Coordinates of all heavy atoms in Angstrom, one line a residue:
M1 N 0.8 -1.2 0.0 CA 0.0 0.0 0.0 C 0.9 1.2 0.0 O 1.8 1.3 0.8 CB -0.9 0.0 1.2 CG -1.8 1.2 1.3 SD -2.9 1.1 2.8 CE -4.1 0.0 2.2
K2 N 0.6 2.2 -0.9 CA 1.4 3.4 -0.9 C 1.0 4.4 0.1 O -0.1 4.5 0.4 CB 1.3 4.0 -2.4 CG 1.9 3.3 -3.4 CD 1.9 4.0 -4.7 CE 2.6 3.3 -5.8 NZ 2.7 4.1 -7.0
S3 N 1.9 5.2 0.5 CA 1.7 6.2 1.5 C 1.0 7.4 0.8 O 1.3 7.7 -0.3 CB 3.0 6.7 2.2 OG 2.8 7.8 3.0
N4 N 0.1 8.1 1.6 CA -0.5 9.3 1.0 C 0.2 10.5 1.4 O -0.5 11.6 1.4 CB -2.0 9.3 1.4 CG -2.8 8.3 0.6 OD1 -2.4 7.9 -0.5 ND2 -3.9 7.8 1.3
Q5 N 1.4 10.5 2.0 CA 2.1 11.6 2.5 C 2.4 12.6 1.3 O 2.9 12.1 0.3 CB 3.4 11.3 3.2 CG 3.2 10.5 4.5 CD 4.5 10.1 5.1 OE1 5.6 10.2 4.5 NE2 4.4 9.8 6.4
S6 N 2.2 13.8 1.5 CA 2.5 14.8 0.5 C 4.0 15.2 0.6 O 4.5 15.2 1.7 CB 1.6 16.0 0.5 OG 1.7 16.7 1.8
K7 N 4.5 15.7 -0.5 CA 5.9 16.1 -0.4 C 6.0 17.4 0.4 O 5.2 18.4 0.2 CB 6.4 16.3 -1.9 CG 7.8 16.8 -1.9 CD 8.2 17.1 -3.3 CE 9.7 17.5 -3.4 NZ 10.0 18.0 -4.7
V8 N 6.9 17.6 1.3 CA 7.2 18.7 2.1 C 7.8 19.8 1.2 O 8.8 19.5 0.5 CB 8.1 18.5 3.3 CG1 8.4 19.7 4.0 CG2 7.5 17.4 4.2
K9 N 7.2 20.9 1.1 CA 7.6 22.1 0.3 C 8.7 22.8 1.0 O 8.6 23.1 2.2 CB 6.5 23.0 -0.1 CG 6.9 23.9 -1.2 CD 5.6 24.6 -1.6 CE 5.9 25.5 -2.9 NZ 4.8 26.1 -3.4
E10 N 9.8 23.0 0.3 CA 11.0 23.8 0.9 C 10.8 25.3 0.6 O 10.3 25.7 -0.4 CB 12.3 23.3 0.2 CG 12.6 21.8 0.6 CD 13.9 21.4 0.0 OE1 14.5 22.1 -0.8 OE2 14.3 20.2 0.4
V11 N 11.3 26.0 1.6 CA 11.3 27.5 1.4 C 12.4 27.9 0.5 O 13.4 27.2 0.2 CB 11.6 28.2 2.8 CG1 10.3 27.9 3.8 CG2 12.8 27.8 3.5
S12 N 12.2 29.1 -0.1 CA 13.2 29.6 -1.0 C 14.4 30.0 -0.4 O 14.4 30.2 0.9 CB 12.5 30.9 -1.8 OG 12.4 32.0 -0.9
L13 N 15.5 30.2 -1.1 CA 16.8 30.7 -0.6 C 16.6 32.1 -0.1 O 17.2 32.6 0.9 CB 17.8 30.7 -1.7 CG 18.3 29.4 -2.2 CD1 19.3 29.5 -3.4 CD2 18.9 28.6 -1.1
E14 N 15.7 32.9 -0.7 CA 15.5 34.3 -0.2 C 14.9 34.3 1.2 O 15.1 35.4 1.9 CB 14.5 35.0 -1.2 CG 15.1 35.3 -2.6 CD 15.3 34.1 -3.5 OE1 14.5 33.2 -3.3 OE2 16.1 34.2 -4.4
F15 N 14.2 33.3 1.6 CA 13.6 33.3 3.0 C 14.8 33.3 4.0 O 14.7 34.2 4.9 CB 12.8 32.0 3.2 CG 12.2 31.8 4.5 CD1 11.0 32.5 4.9 CD2 12.9 31.0 5.5 CE1 10.5 32.3 6.1 CE2 12.3 30.8 6.7 CZ 11.1 31.6 7.1
G16 N 15.8 32.6 3.9 CA 16.8 32.6 4.9 C 17.6 34.0 4.8 O 17.9 34.5 5.8
N17 N 17.7 34.5 3.6 CA 18.4 35.8 3.4 C 17.6 36.9 4.1 O 18.1 37.8 4.8 CB 18.6 36.1 1.9 CG 19.5 35.2 1.2 OD1 20.3 34.6 1.9 ND2 19.4 35.2 -0.1
L18 N 16.3 36.9 3.9 CA 15.3 37.9 4.5 C 15.4 37.8 6.1 O 15.5 38.8 6.7 CB 14.0 37.7 4.0 CG 12.9 38.6 4.7 CD1 13.2 40.1 4.5 CD2 11.5 38.2 4.2
I19 N 15.4 36.6 6.6 CA 15.4 36.4 8.1 C 16.7 37.0 8.6 O 16.7 37.8 9.6 CB 15.3 35.0 8.4 CG1 13.9 34.4 8.0 CG2 15.5 34.7 9.9 CD1 12.7 35.1 8.6
K20 N 17.8 36.6 8.0 CA 19.1 37.2 8.5 C 19.2 38.7 8.4 O 19.7 39.4 9.3 CB 20.3 36.5 7.7 CG 21.6 36.9 8.2 CD 22.7 36.2 7.5 CE 24.1 36.5 8.1 NZ 25.2 35.7 7.4
Q21 N 18.9 39.2 7.2 CA 18.9 40.7 6.9 C 18.1 41.4 7.9 O 18.5 42.4 8.5 CB 18.6 41.0 5.6 CG 18.8 42.5 5.2 CD 20.3 42.9 5.3 OE1 21.1 42.2 4.8 NE2 20.5 43.9 6.0
R22 N 16.9 41.0 8.1 CA 16.0 41.7 9.0 C 16.5 41.6 10.5 O 16.4 42.6 11.2 CB 14.5 41.1 8.9 CG 13.5 41.8 9.7 CD 13.3 43.3 9.3 NE 12.3 43.8 10.2 CZ 12.2 45.1 10.4 NH1 13.1 46.0 9.8 NH2 11.3 45.6 11.2
R23 N 16.9 40.5 10.9 CA 17.5 40.3 12.2 C 18.7 41.2 12.4 O 18.7 41.9 13.5 CB 18.0 38.8 12.4 CG 18.7 38.6 13.8 CD 19.2 37.1 13.9 NE 20.1 36.8 13.0 CZ 21.4 37.1 13.1 NH1 21.8 38.0 14.0 NH2 22.3 36.7 12.1
E24 N 19.6 41.3 11.5 CA 20.6 42.2 11.6 C 20.2 43.6 11.6 O 20.8 44.5 12.3 CB 21.7 41.9 10.5 CG 22.4 40.6 10.6 CD 23.3 40.2 9.5 OE1 23.2 40.9 8.4 OE2 24.1 39.3 9.6
D25 N 19.3 44.1 10.8 CA 18.8 45.4 10.7 C 18.2 45.8 12.1 O 18.3 47.0 12.4 CB 17.7 45.6 9.6 CG 18.2 45.5 8.2 OD1 19.4 45.6 8.0 OD2 17.4 45.4 7.3
L26 N 17.5 44.9 12.7 CA 16.9 45.2 14.0 C 18.0 45.1 15.2 O 17.7 45.4 16.3 CB 15.8 44.3 14.4 CG 14.6 44.4 13.5 CD1 13.6 43.3 13.7 CD2 13.9 45.7 13.8
G27 N 19.2 44.7 14.9 CA 20.3 44.5 15.8 C 20.1 43.4 16.8 O 20.6 43.4 17.9
Y28 N 19.3 42.3 16.3 CA 19.1 41.1 17.2 C 20.1 40.1 17.0 O 20.6 39.9 15.8 CB 17.7 40.5 16.9 CG 16.5 41.4 17.2 CD1 15.2 41.0 16.6 CD2 16.6 42.5 18.0 CE1 14.1 41.9 17.0 CE2 15.5 43.3 18.3 CZ 14.3 42.9 17.8 OH 13.1 43.6 18.1
T29 N 20.5 39.4 18.0 CA 21.3 38.3 17.9 C 20.5 37.0 17.5 O 19.3 37.1 17.7 CB 22.0 38.0 19.2 OG1 21.1 37.7 20.2 CG2 22.9 39.2 19.7
I30 N 21.3 36.0 17.1 CA 20.5 34.8 16.8 C 19.9 34.2 18.1 O 18.9 33.7 18.1 CB 21.5 33.7 16.1 CG1 21.8 34.2 14.7 CG2 20.9 32.3 16.2 CD1 22.7 33.2 14.0
K31 N 20.7 34.4 19.2 CA 20.2 34.0 20.5 C 18.9 34.6 20.9 O 17.9 34.0 21.4 CB 21.3 34.2 21.5 CG 20.9 33.7 22.9 CD 22.0 34.0 23.9 CE 21.7 33.3 25.3 NZ 22.8 33.4 26.2
K32 N 18.8 35.9 20.6 CA 17.5 36.7 21.0 C 16.4 36.1 20.1 O 15.2 35.9 20.7 CB 17.8 38.1 20.8 CG 16.5 39.0 21.0 CD 16.7 40.4 20.8 CE 15.4 41.2 21.0 NZ 15.5 42.1 22.2
V33 N 16.6 36.0 18.8 CA 15.6 35.5 18.0 C 15.1 34.1 18.4 O 13.9 33.8 18.5 CB 15.9 35.6 16.4 CG1 14.9 34.9 15.6 CG2 16.1 37.0 16.1
A34 N 16.1 33.2 18.6 CA 15.8 31.9 19.0 C 15.0 31.8 20.3 O 14.0 31.0 20.3 CB 17.1 31.1 19.1
S35 N 15.3 32.5 21.2 CA 14.6 32.5 22.4 C 13.2 33.0 22.3 O 12.2 32.5 22.8 CB 15.3 33.5 23.4 OG 14.6 33.6 24.7
A36 N 13.0 34.1 21.4 CA 11.7 34.7 21.2 C 10.7 33.7 20.5 O 9.5 33.7 20.7 CB 11.8 36.0 20.3
V37 N 11.3 32.8 19.6 CA 10.4 31.8 18.9 C 10.5 30.5 19.6 O 10.0 29.5 19.0 CB 10.8 31.8 17.4 CG1 10.5 33.2 16.7 CG2 12.1 31.3 17.1
H38 N 11.1 30.3 20.7 CA 11.2 29.1 21.5 C 11.9 28.0 20.6 O 11.3 26.9 20.5 CB 9.8 28.6 21.9 CG 9.0 29.7 22.7 ND1 9.4 30.0 23.9 CD2 8.0 30.5 22.3 CE1 8.6 31.0 24.3 NE2 7.8 31.3 23.3
S39 N 13.1 28.4 20.2 CA 13.8 27.5 19.3 C 15.3 27.5 19.8 O 15.6 28.2 20.7 CB 13.7 27.9 17.9 OG 14.4 27.1 17.0
S40 N 16.1 26.8 19.1 CA 17.5 26.8 19.3 C 18.3 27.8 18.4 O 17.8 28.1 17.3 CB 18.1 25.4 19.2 OG 18.1 25.0 17.9
E41 N 19.4 28.2 18.9 CA 20.2 29.0 18.0 C 20.7 28.4 16.8 O 20.6 28.9 15.7 CB 21.5 29.5 18.8 CG 21.2 30.5 20.0 CD 22.4 30.8 20.8 OE1 23.4 31.2 20.2 OE2 22.3 30.6 22.1
S42 N 20.9 27.1 16.9 CA 21.4 26.3 15.7 C 20.3 26.2 14.7 O 20.5 26.2 13.5 CB 22.0 24.9 16.1 OG 21.0 24.1 16.7
Y43 N 19.0 26.0 15.1 CA 17.9 26.0 14.2 C 17.8 27.3 13.4 O 17.6 27.2 12.2 CB 16.6 25.7 15.0 CG 15.4 25.3 14.2 CD1 15.1 24.0 13.9 CD2 14.6 26.3 13.7 CE1 14.0 23.6 13.2 CE2 13.4 25.9 12.9 CZ 13.1 24.6 12.7 OH 12.1 24.3 12.0
I44 N 17.9 28.4 14.1 CA 17.7 29.7 13.4 C 19.0 29.9 12.4 O 18.8 30.4 11.4 CB 17.6 30.9 14.5 CG1 16.5 30.7 15.4 CG2 17.6 32.2 13.7 CD1 15.1 30.6 14.6
S45 N 20.1 29.5 12.9 CA 21.3 29.6 12.1 C 21.2 28.9 10.8 O 21.5 29.2 9.7 CB 22.5 29.2 12.9 OG 23.7 29.3 12.1
R46 N 20.6 27.6 10.9 CA 20.4 26.7 9.8 C 19.4 27.3 8.8 O 19.6 27.2 7.6 CB 20.1 25.3 10.2 CG 21.2 24.5 10.9 CD 21.0 23.1 11.0 NE 19.7 22.7 11.6 CZ 19.4 22.5 12.9 NH1 20.4 22.6 13.7 NH2 18.2 22.1 13.3
I47 N 18.4 28.0 9.3 CA 17.4 28.6 8.4 C 18.1 29.7 7.6 O 18.0 29.8 6.4 CB 16.2 29.2 9.2 CG1 15.3 28.1 9.8 CG2 15.4 30.2 8.3 CD1 14.3 28.6 10.8
E48 N 18.9 30.5 8.3 CA 19.6 31.6 7.8 C 20.6 31.2 6.7 O 20.8 31.9 5.7 CB 20.2 32.5 8.7 CG 19.3 33.3 9.6 CD 20.0 34.3 10.6 OE1 21.2 34.3 10.6 OE2 19.3 35.1 11.2
S49 N 21.2 30.1 6.9 CA 22.3 29.6 6.0 C 21.8 28.6 5.0 O 22.6 27.9 4.3 CB 23.4 28.9 6.8 OG 23.0 27.9 7.6
H50 N 20.5 28.4 4.8 CA 19.8 27.6 3.9 C 20.0 26.1 4.1 O 19.9 25.3 3.3 CB 20.2 27.9 2.5 CG 20.2 29.5 2.3 ND1 19.1 30.2 2.3 CD2 21.2 30.2 2.0 CE1 19.4 31.4 2.0 NE2 20.7 31.5 1.9
K51 N 20.3 25.7 5.3 CA 20.6 24.3 5.7 C 19.3 23.7 6.3 O 19.2 22.5 6.3 CB 21.8 24.2 6.7 CG 23.0 24.5 6.0 CD 24.2 24.4 7.0 CE 25.5 24.8 6.2 NZ 26.5 25.2 7.1
R52 N 18.4 24.6 6.7 CA 17.1 24.1 7.2 C 16.1 24.7 6.2 O 15.8 25.8 6.2 CB 16.8 24.6 8.6 CG 15.5 24.2 9.2 CD 15.5 22.7 9.4 NE 14.2 22.2 9.8 CZ 13.9 21.2 10.5 NH1 14.8 20.5 11.1 NH2 12.7 20.9 10.8
T53 N 15.6 23.9 5.3 CA 14.7 24.3 4.2 C 13.2 24.1 4.5 O 12.5 24.4 3.6 CB 15.2 23.8 2.9 OG1 15.1 22.4 2.9 CG2 16.5 24.2 2.5
N54 N 12.9 23.5 5.6 CA 11.4 23.3 5.9 C 11.1 23.6 7.3 O 10.7 22.7 8.1 CB 11.1 21.8 5.5 CG 11.8 20.8 6.3 OD1 12.8 21.1 6.9 ND2 11.3 19.6 6.3
P55 N 11.2 24.9 7.7 CA 11.0 25.2 9.1 C 9.5 25.0 9.4 O 8.7 25.1 8.5 CB 11.3 26.7 9.2 CG 11.2 27.2 7.8 CD 11.6 26.0 6.9
S56 N 9.2 24.8 10.7 CA 7.8 24.5 11.1 C 7.0 25.8 10.9 O 7.5 26.9 11.0 CB 7.8 24.0 12.6 OG 8.1 25.1 13.4
V57 N 5.7 25.6 10.8 CA 4.8 26.7 10.7 C 4.8 27.6 12.0 O 4.9 28.8 11.8 CB 3.4 26.1 10.5 CG1 2.3 27.2 10.6 CG2 3.2 25.4 9.2
C58 N 5.0 27.0 13.2 CA 5.1 27.7 14.3 C 6.3 28.7 14.4 O 6.3 29.8 14.8 CB 5.2 26.9 15.6 SG 3.6 26.0 15.9
I59 N 7.4 28.2 13.8 CA 8.7 28.9 13.8 C 8.5 30.1 12.8 O 8.9 31.2 13.1 CB 9.9 28.1 13.4 CG1 10.2 27.0 14.5 CG2 11.1 28.9 13.1 CD1 10.5 27.7 15.8
V60 N 8.0 29.8 11.6 CA 7.7 30.9 10.5 C 6.8 31.9 11.2 O 7.1 33.1 11.0 CB 7.1 30.3 9.3 CG1 6.8 31.4 8.3 CG2 8.1 29.3 8.7
Y61 N 5.8 31.6 11.8 CA 4.9 32.6 12.5 C 5.6 33.4 13.5 O 5.6 34.6 13.6 CB 3.6 31.9 13.1 CG 2.7 32.8 13.7 CD1 1.8 33.5 12.9 CD2 2.7 33.0 15.1 CE1 0.9 34.4 13.5 CE2 1.7 33.9 15.6 CZ 0.9 34.6 14.9 OH -0.1 35.4 15.4
G62 N 6.4 32.6 14.4 CA 7.2 33.4 15.4 C 8.2 34.3 14.8 O 8.4 35.5 15.3
L63 N 8.9 33.9 13.7 CA 9.8 34.8 13.1 C 9.1 36.0 12.5 O 9.7 37.1 12.7 CB 10.5 34.0 11.9 CG 11.6 33.0 12.4 CD1 12.0 32.2 11.2 CD2 12.8 33.6 13.1
A64 N 8.0 35.9 11.9 CA 7.3 37.0 11.5 C 6.9 38.0 12.5 O 7.2 39.2 12.4 CB 6.0 36.6 10.8
E65 N 6.6 37.5 13.7 CA 6.3 38.4 14.8 C 7.5 39.1 15.4 O 7.5 40.3 15.5 CB 5.5 37.6 15.9 CG 4.1 37.3 15.7 CD 3.4 36.8 16.9 OE1 4.1 36.1 17.7 OE2 2.2 37.0 16.9
V66 N 8.5 38.3 15.7 CA 9.7 38.9 16.4 C 10.4 39.8 15.5 O 11.0 40.8 15.9 CB 10.6 37.8 17.0 CG1 11.4 37.0 15.9 CG2 11.5 38.4 18.0
L67 N 10.4 39.5 14.1 CA 11.2 40.3 13.2 C 10.3 41.4 12.5 O 10.7 42.1 11.7 CB 11.8 39.5 12.1 CG 12.9 38.5 12.7 CD1 13.4 37.5 11.5 CD2 14.1 39.2 13.3
E68 N 9.1 41.5 13.0 CA 8.2 42.5 12.6 C 8.0 42.5 11.0 O 8.1 43.6 10.4 CB 8.6 43.9 13.0 CG 8.7 44.0 14.6 CD 9.3 45.3 15.1 OE1 9.5 46.2 14.3 OE2 9.6 45.3 16.3
I69 N 7.7 41.3 10.5 CA 7.5 41.1 9.1 C 6.1 40.6 8.9 O 5.7 39.7 9.6 CB 8.5 40.0 8.5 CG1 10.0 40.4 8.7 CG2 8.2 39.9 7.0 CD1 10.9 39.3 8.4
E70 N 5.4 41.2 8.0 CA 4.0 40.8 7.8 C 4.0 39.4 7.3 O 4.7 39.0 6.4 CB 3.4 41.8 6.7 CG 1.9 41.7 6.7 CD 1.3 40.7 5.7 OE1 1.9 40.6 4.6 OE2 0.4 39.9 6.1
L71 N 3.1 38.6 8.0 CA 3.1 37.2 7.7 C 2.9 36.8 6.3 O 3.6 36.0 5.7 CB 2.1 36.5 8.7 CG 2.1 34.9 8.5 CD1 3.4 34.2 8.8 CD2 1.0 34.4 9.4
G72 N 1.9 37.4 5.7 CA 1.7 37.2 4.2 C 2.9 37.5 3.4 O 3.1 36.7 2.4
Y73 N 3.6 38.5 3.7 CA 4.8 38.9 2.9 C 5.8 37.8 3.1 O 6.5 37.3 2.1 CB 5.3 40.2 3.3 CG 6.6 40.6 2.6 CD1 6.6 41.0 1.2 CD2 7.9 40.5 3.2 CE1 7.8 41.2 0.6 CE2 9.0 40.8 2.6 CZ 9.0 41.2 1.3 OH 10.2 41.5 0.6
L74 N 6.1 37.4 4.4 CA 7.1 36.4 4.6 C 6.7 35.1 4.0 O 7.6 34.5 3.4 CB 7.2 36.2 6.1 CG 8.3 35.3 6.6 CD1 9.7 35.7 6.1 CD2 8.3 35.1 8.1
L75 N 5.5 34.7 3.9 CA 5.1 33.5 3.3 C 5.3 33.6 1.7 O 5.6 32.6 1.1 CB 3.6 33.1 3.7 CG 3.4 32.6 5.0 CD1 1.9 32.5 5.3 CD2 4.2 31.4 5.4
G76 N 5.1 34.7 1.2 CA 5.3 35.0 -0.2 C 6.7 34.9 -0.6 O 7.0 34.3 -1.6
V77 N 7.6 35.3 0.3 CA 9.0 35.1 0.0 C 9.4 33.7 0.2 O 10.2 33.1 -0.6 CB 9.9 36.0 1.0 CG1 11.3 35.7 0.9 CG2 9.7 37.5 0.8
A78 N 8.9 33.0 1.2 CA 9.2 31.6 1.4 C 8.7 30.7 0.3 O 9.5 29.8 -0.1 CB 8.5 31.2 2.7
F79 N 7.6 30.9 -0.2 CA 7.0 30.1 -1.1 C 6.5 30.9 -2.4 O 5.3 31.1 -2.6 CB 5.8 29.3 -0.7 CG 6.2 28.5 0.6 CD1 5.7 29.0 1.8 CD2 6.9 27.4 0.5 CE1 6.0 28.2 3.0 CE2 7.3 26.7 1.6 CZ 6.9 27.0 2.9
P80 N 7.4 31.5 -3.2 CA 7.0 32.4 -4.3 C 6.3 31.5 -5.4 O 6.6 30.3 -5.6 CB 8.3 32.8 -4.8 CG 9.4 31.8 -4.4 CD 8.9 31.3 -3.0
H81 N 5.4 32.1 -6.0 CA 4.7 31.5 -7.2 C 5.6 31.4 -8.3 O 6.4 32.3 -8.6 CB 3.5 32.3 -7.6 CG 2.4 32.4 -6.6 ND1 1.6 31.4 -6.3 CD2 2.1 33.4 -5.7 CE1 0.8 31.6 -5.3 NE2 1.1 32.9 -4.8
K82 N 5.6 30.3 -9.0 CA 6.5 30.1 -10.2 C 5.8 30.1 -11.4 O 4.7 30.0 -11.6 CB 7.3 28.8 -10.0 CG 8.2 28.9 -8.8 CD 9.0 27.6 -8.6 CE 9.9 27.8 -7.4 NZ 10.9 26.9 -7.3

């Protein structure tokens, strides 16, 4: 019997770039952002360096809040229409 699991969609490279740039613009450390979204510093670092390409919905929502990025805009960057 085949599994009905759908393929996990990966975020764009621009997503990590935006997270890093906005964090730096606000003067936040990775530690501060990680703490605010209840995550580890390594998880946030991997998002920024494109090594974590499928962050959880909770993390994306938290990043939008802490980095003051409109959620719809952030999702548009993460999953651009092709």
Side-chain angles (χ1 to χ4, degrees):
M1 180 180 278
K2 288 188 176 184
S3 173
N4 288 333
Q5 292 179 348
S6 62
K7 182 180 176 190
V8 175
K9 192 166 185 181
E10 295 183 350
V11 294
S12 70
L13 294 176
E14 289 77 20
F15 178 79
N17 294 339
L18 174 61
I19 297 303
K20 182 175 184 177
Q21 186 62 53
R22 183 66 179 153
R23 177 182 62 77
E24 290 175 345
D25 289 347
L26 292 170
Y28 293 168
T29 62
I30 289 178
K31 183 176 184 174
K32 178 179 177 113
V33 172
S35 177
V37 300
H38 309 289
S39 183
S40 69
E41 293 173 53
S42 63
Y43 190 94
I44 302 303
S45 178
R46 288 192 315 264
I47 289 172
E48 290 184 355
S49 64
H50 317 295
K51 294 178 182 163
R52 179 69 189 209
T53 59
N54 60 344
S56 74
V57 172
C58 292
I59 296 296
V60 173
Y61 182 78
L63 289 170
E65 284 192 332
V66 72
L67 298 175
E68 302 170 13
I69 303 171
E70 195 270 315
L71 182 59
Y73 175 76
L74 184 58
L75 290 173
V77 170
F79 305 107
H81 296 283
K82 295 186 178 189

